[in-house]
Amino acid sequence: MIRPYGLVYILPLAESQLSSRDVIDSIALAAATTVLALLVPWELVFSATAPTGGDTSGHYSAFVYFNDHILPNLRLWGWNQGNLAGFSQFEFYFPLPFLIFSALGLIFPLPIAYKIGVLLPAFALPFCTYLSLRLLRAHFPGAIVAAVFSLSFLFVENHSVWGGNIGSLLAGEVCYGYGFCLTWVYLGMATWWLKGRSGVVAPSLMLMAVGLCHASSLLFCLLAGVFAVGIRRDWRRAAVRLLVLYVLSFLLLGFWLIPFITSGAQSDLFNFIWIVDDWHKYLPPLMWPLFLLAPAGLLLSYFMGDLNDKFRANYLVGWLAAAGVLLLISPLINAVTVRFVPFIQFTGLIITACGIGVALKNQRARWLAAVVIIAVALAWPCAKVKNLPVWLHHNNSGSEAMTLWPDMARMNEILKGQTGDSRIIFEHVSHNDRYGSDRSLEALSHWTGRPTLGGLHIQASPNSPFLFYLRSEISTYCPTPLPLYHHTHLNLARALRHLALYNVGHFIAMDRGTVQAALATPGLKPSGEFGPFHVFTVEGCPDTYATPPECGPVAVVTERPRFIALQWFRFTNLKTPLVFFNSDDDIPAGRFASVLHDDGTRASPILKILRDDGLPCRAMGGHAAISEKIGPQTIELQGLIPGQPVLISISFDRGWRSTSGEAVYEASPAFMLIYPTGTSLKLVHGPTWPHWLGLALTICGGLLGLFIAARPLGLEQPLGRISDFIGRPPLKRRLVALALILVVAGVSWLWLVHDDPRTLCDKAKRAAEEGRREQARGLYSEILAEYGMCDVGDHCLSGMAMTHYSEGDYERAITLWLQLLRDYPDSSLLPETLYHLARSYENNGDPQKAGQYGRELVRLFPNSDWAAKWTSGK
């Protein structure tokens, strides 16, 4: 019998009057909350300082922009000129946590609202865990024990960026934390719908909320539902119910999901496999007792439990399987592998708690046992915590409390400006707590009001590959988070033309070597020294975002515009912009100096043209001065010449449109190019067809949800007919056979393709070190063939050359190192490449060539260890 819709989810919590169970549960939840509360430095949380630590400062500036510039337009997304050369913020990120921050901002100042919002998932997780297990009908004290066990997960300090624990919240994984909490509530609610004992609207709304918090949680919920159907005896009815749940959730989520999916198709891969060098991170010692007891919990459920216990155990095993499959396929779905490990860890915790409930369900002393277990579970993480109090104090004390804040404040005051001013770029340095974190300067746009080229949401901007290349040119050390794109080494003289292209007016250097190089670079003028922050004025800055190109644009037909644009960015003089098209039919006649075609291979003729800087240069006519006004969502230009192209150094996005109807083209690197029809031009950023389609789907989903809620029994008859049709013997056999074939084929395929360029390169390096040189060469060749000019391409050529060098095959080694110099003239491996080339020629009996490359090494990299090694004769 269907229970009354709207009451079903509170029935497990109110089955009787106040009982001993309710008392123990309430006291334990209060105790868990108290333990968490005692850990938090509340006087710092309620101080009006901007939070810092990890990615926190970047998220905080995003929240302020969201609150001040996006929400007032009654949207959940909007253009942000302040970071990454401009990008559509929250179109490719998760808005629900930021809505919660803004709601808190109605009560508290924004810094306090944000700091409270960051901590909320930690306080919510025990309650969400408890509710989930009550919905799963876990025996007492399973639900409350799981809630208290969650403290052991929250207090884990072995990793602080994987998600779910307090360390991850402090590192910036806040959206993940919200999604992680809601996931367990949804999974409990979904089982009621799959059993036919509740309505579908509530779990659909919960799944919608999960999706608005984090994609990893959404994917886990979706796949866990599939496994939940597979273990049910009435799988046909459950499958139909799951489909209804997913369809309604998809419709409700459409307003955000459709733009997210279409944006994701254009975003860059951020799918590298996280190489974990310490197994303790997978199995943190703080959770060892729970992991050790998890197998016993399953055995107890299967052999001592009733039918409900067995089904619950099957559900939990399905959760483990879902997280494991996602861990395996994450590189293929543009996800980071370790984001799914916390789901495995936490499911193990839940399995242990459920096993305890089964073991004690018929014991007279279960109330006493529950109290003892809860007391131990509360004391255990408290006794083991070490760094969390320090991290909490650090983050919540705020930027203004950091040692270097006075220097930063003085620098920010000097750099202050507005949206239309030239950009600021800063060197990436390794972690330094004296100014919050190595990501603190990503909030410069918030502090100064001026746009910067740094930013947190790197997948949302099409300019990210070029900006990380530029960052590697201006930094002694630079991270390389986009595995399919090449990066270079510190070279400020070469970076100047890229800085001018991006309208960079000021450069902030921090590393001592970088500062010395900047002082010796013509075109960089010292403008101020603020502690470790050295500000340089870029003298070649055009101080404008709209400029006529020096040479007529060239049209390029390609399916890989970012890759082609990066070769243009690396090798050409940047005078001839490329404009990208999908086919020749899209190219308007007479507007471009020539049309080039890319065949998608490593030998494509366009790559040689770009590498040789051989683009045609059709000089453009004279131009009057262009005046511009850059707003948060608008670009206004005056003084244009009709028919003459204008290049706007702001990220191309489908949301930009001209109010006078001109086409907006994507031009290299990832800018906008327009042929104006008049002397003035206005661009506005607004919704496009994915936004309207998504909004229409959400409206349809809302109406459908209201209809279903008004008739809670109306779905039963059609769902029964559909499940009966699926259950007909011929169709059932075919469906089961097809499912088995797909599972076997899918797992086999995943096992073959689960590597990425970095893991393959690591395997090849290990093979070479262990003497398996032929195998190493095969792996290196596989990377070059499969991934082209990826981030580790130069490492592959160097690694292959070293295998030949170690065998005395100097001819082959020389060939490969010369290929590295030709394909990667900007490689960070140049010093060691020149050194080994010199040694190879020396060993091969050609002292003249050896001396040539040795002198080149000393000339280009006089301070490198390789130059010292060469000059010393080692």
Side-chain angles (χ1 to χ4, degrees), residues 570-592:
R570 292 171 61 197
F571 298 117
T572 76
N573 59 21
L574 309 181
K575 294 181 179 180
T576 304
L578 306 179
V579 180
F580 301 108
F581 296 92
N582 293 322
S583 69
D584 290 283
D585 297 335
D586 299 328
I587 303 175
R591 284 192 168 177
F592 300 99

Side-chain angles (χ1 to χ4, degrees), residues 689-738:
W689 69 264
H691 300 96
W692 297 119
L693 174 59
L695 182 60
L697 291 176
T698 296
I699 293 173
C700 292
L703 294 174
L704 179 60
L706 289 173
F707 176 78
I708 294 173
R711 303 175 67 251
L713 298 179
L715 283 178
E716 292 306 304
Q717 188 173 5
L719 291 182
R721 290 178 178 176
I722 296 172
S723 61
D724 290 342
F725 174 76
I726 295 174
R728 292 179 180 177
L731 184 58
K732 178 180 177 180
R733 288 194 296 270
R734 292 169 188 168
L735 287 174
V736 171
L738 178 61

Side-chain angles (χ1 to χ4, degrees), residues 389-506:
V390 178
W391 296 350
L392 284 161
H393 186 280
H394 174 80
N395 277 46
N396 290 290
S397 60
S399 298
E400 295 89 335
M402 297 297 108
T403 306
L404 293 181
W405 174 251
D407 296 322
M408 290 186 69
R410 288 189 298 119
M411 179 182 69
N412 293 339
E413 192 63 33
I414 293 296
L415 294 174
K416 271 191 176 178
Q418 52 191 356
T419 302
D421 291 341
S422 62
R423 294 186 174 111
I424 304 170
I425 194 169
F426 50 88
E427 178 189 15
H428 180 91
V429 295
S430 58
H431 183 74
N432 188 332
D433 286 345
R434 291 186 302 157
Y435 52 90
S437 83
D438 55 353
R439 312 296 295 269
S440 292
L441 291 183
E442 289 176 353
L444 267 180
S445 60
H446 168 70
W447 295 116
T448 66
R450 284 176 57 185
T452 75
L453 289 182
L456 191 59
H457 302 160
I458 60 175
Q459 285 182 277
S461 173
N463 270 291
S464 289
F466 318 103
L467 297 182
F468 274 99
Y469 186 93
L470 176 53
R471 288 277 291 277
S472 66
E473 284 184 311
I474 63 162
S475 303
T476 300
Y477 166 77
C478 183
T480 56
L482 302 175
L484 298 186
Y485 294 99
H486 180 66
H487 300 82
T488 185
H489 55 84
L490 177 67
N491 191 335
L492 293 174
R494 192 168 174 274
L496 286 174
R497 57 180 184 154
H498 294 143
L499 296 175
L501 180 69
Y502 276 94
N503 191 30
V504 175
H506 288 96

Side-chain angles (χ1 to χ4, degrees), residues 256-302:
W256 177 81
L257 188 59
I258 299 300
F260 178 85
I261 292 173
T262 54
S263 296
Q266 304 171 22
S267 69
D268 293 297
L269 292 179
F270 188 64
N271 64 340
F272 58 87
I273 297 173
W274 202 291
I275 299 175
V276 181
D277 55 1
D278 184 359
W279 63 270
H280 290 88
K281 293 183 178 179
Y282 286 120
L283 300 173
L286 188 59
M287 299 184 70
W288 280 357
L290 307 179
F291 294 145
L292 290 172
L293 291 173
L298 279 179
L299 292 175
L300 286 170
S301 297
Y302 283 125

Side-chain angles (χ1 to χ4, degrees), residues 351-368:
I351 288 173
T352 298
C354 289
I356 290 173
V358 173
L360 296 178
K361 67 177 180 178
N362 295 320
Q363 303 299 319
R364 291 184 178 180
R366 61 175 179 162
W367 308 103
L368 178 60

Side-chain angles (χ1 to χ4, degrees), residues 9 12-13 21 128-139 143 184-192 195 197 228 306 308-313 315-316 319 350-351 354:
Y9 296 113
L13 307 180
R21 173 177 186 168
C128 292
T129 308
Y130 176 79
L131 179 58
S132 179
L133 267 71
R134 290 299 301 268
L135 290 168
L136 290 176
R137 295 288 188 175
H139 297 288
W184 311 108
V185 179
Y186 161 76
L187 290 173
M189 296 173 69
T191 58
W192 284 71
K195 293 176 182 178
R197 300 174 65 185
D306 54 27
N308 259 347
D309 296 327
K310 292 180 175 63
F311 271 117
R312 188 187 312 108
Y315 280 132
L316 297 178
W319 296 359
I350 292 175
I351 288 173
C354 289

Side-chain angles (χ1 to χ4, degrees), residues 13-26:
L13 307 180
E15 293 169 341
S16 63
Q17 295 181 350
L18 191 64
S19 64
S20 300
R21 173 177 186 168
D22 298 321
V23 173
I24 293 176
D25 288 357
S26 300

